[in-house]
């Protein structure tokens, strides 16, 4: 079954370029394009795509607000935001809004294609290097009052796994660190998502930081 995608960007050139790249794929179908956040929210409500590729900076309703609407109202649709790593405030806001991953507009086309497929499959696209960057950014911000998540429902081993996820390790790296199989690492990750009511790996990173499990650097 094809991955159904909506493209949201106020630049026609970007939308056209992405549409042309994705149109060549047998397993991906671009079902709609939006130039504003409002249009993106409306299209998602109408078309129920699998993935929205969402620009952050758009006139009127920006990509963060649109992402928040979509993830709350259409939980089966996942959002990948378009950003640059200079926009730390926007990246943090997009995480909070429920984005499942990040793309940089000048990244390789193969990476963009892979990102759409990864997010559509239910995973989050957040590379270890990006995770570490985000953790440094989180650490520079005042922690909201009462932000620490209650972790009493998880086991000591699950806490270890959560700490490693928050530190930016992949499943393979977690398995090597804890001397377990990759499939076992994935099982722990699945349990953490369920117990902590987290949408994806991105939210686990936030929880690990806010629970005080991650030390910067």
């Amino acid at each position: 079954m094809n991955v159904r995608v909506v493209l949201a960007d106020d630049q026609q050139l970007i939308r056209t370029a992405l549409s042309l790249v994705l149109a060549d794929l047998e397993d991906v179908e671009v079902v709609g394009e939006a130039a504003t956040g409002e249009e993106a929210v409306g299209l998602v409500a109408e078309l129920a795509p699998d993935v929205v590729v969402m620009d952050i900076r758009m006139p009127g309703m920006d990509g963060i607000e649109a992402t928040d609407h979509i993830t709350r109202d259409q939980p089966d649709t996942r959002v990948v935001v378009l950003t640059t790593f200079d926009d730390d405030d926007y990246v943090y806001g997009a995480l909070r809004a429920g984005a499942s991953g990040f793309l940089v507009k000048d990244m390789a086309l193969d990476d963009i294609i892979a990102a759409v497929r990864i997010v559509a499959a239910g995973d989050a696209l957040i590379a270890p290097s990006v995770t570490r960057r985000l953790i440094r950014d989180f650490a520079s911000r005042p922690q909201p009052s009462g932000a620490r998540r209650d972790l009493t429902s998880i086991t000591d081993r699950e806490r270890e796994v959560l700490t490693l996820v928050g530190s930016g390790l992949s499943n393979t790296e977690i398995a090597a660190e804890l001397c377990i199989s990759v499939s076992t690492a994935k099982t722990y990750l699945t349990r953490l998502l369920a117990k902590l009511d987290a949408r994806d790996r991105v939210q686990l990173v936030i929880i690990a930081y806010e629970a005080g499990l991650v030390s910067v650097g």
Side-chain angles (χ1 to χ4, degrees):
M1 186 172 63
N2 285 351
V3 177
R4 302 173 70 253
V5 178
V6 163
L7 304 175
D9 196 301
D10 63 333
Q11 298 182 49
Q12 176 69 50
L13 181 61
I14 297 294
R15 297 200 311 273
T16 299
L18 288 173
S19 183
L20 289 173
V21 169
L22 297 175
D24 286 338
L25 307 177
E26 293 183 357
D27 60 335
V28 177
E29 178 186 4
V30 177
V31 296
E33 297 184 19
T36 68
E38 291 92 340
E39 289 181 10
V41 171
L43 276 179
V44 170
E46 176 186 350
L47 302 174
D50 302 300
V51 177
V52 180
V53 179
M54 178 81 73
D55 187 22
I56 288 183
R57 292 181 173 177
M58 291 185 288
M61 181 188 293
D62 65 16
I64 294 175
E65 186 178 353
T67 296
D68 184 59
H69 280 286
I70 290 167
T71 56
R72 283 190 290 107
D73 299 339
Q74 305 290 335
D76 292 334
T77 296
R78 300 171 69 82
V79 179
V80 180
V81 297
L82 286 167
T83 186
T84 67
F85 295 138
D86 292 329
D87 296 335
D88 292 335
D89 288 338
Y90 291 105
V91 171
Y92 186 78
L95 278 171
R96 284 294 190 187
S100 294
F102 298 92
L103 298 179
V104 183
K105 289 185 178 180
D106 61 356
M107 72 191 299
L109 295 180
D110 285 348
D111 290 336
I112 293 176
I113 293 168
V116 170
R117 287 172 170 153
I118 287 169
V119 170
D123 202 354
L125 183 74
I126 179 166
S129 60
V130 177
T131 304
R132 293 172 187 128
R133 168 69 180 268
L134 291 169
I135 292 301
R136 288 196 298 270
D137 293 338
F138 294 163
S140 69
R141 304 169 187 272
Q143 190 166 335
S145 176
R148 287 180 180 267
R149 184 72 66 102
D150 181 6
L151 301 183
T152 56
S153 65
I154 69 174
T155 66
D156 290 342
R157 183 59 118 184
E158 288 165 350
R159 183 184 293 264
E160 287 182 277
V161 173
L162 179 61
T163 301
L164 295 175
V165 170
S167 299
L169 272 65
S170 66
N171 290 345
T172 300
E173 291 169 328
I174 290 171
E177 181 74 18
L178 299 179
C179 298
I180 58 178
S181 67
V182 175
S183 62
T184 300
K186 290 179 179 178
T187 298
Y188 280 122
L189 191 68
T190 300
R191 290 176 184 169
L192 285 168
L193 290 170
K195 287 185 176 183
L196 299 177
D197 193 26
R199 178 183 174 90
D200 51 37
R201 196 185 197 98
V202 175
Q203 288 195 340
L204 289 180
V205 171
I206 296 174
I207 291 169
Y209 169 72
E210 292 182 337
L213 298 181
V214 177
S215 59
V216 181

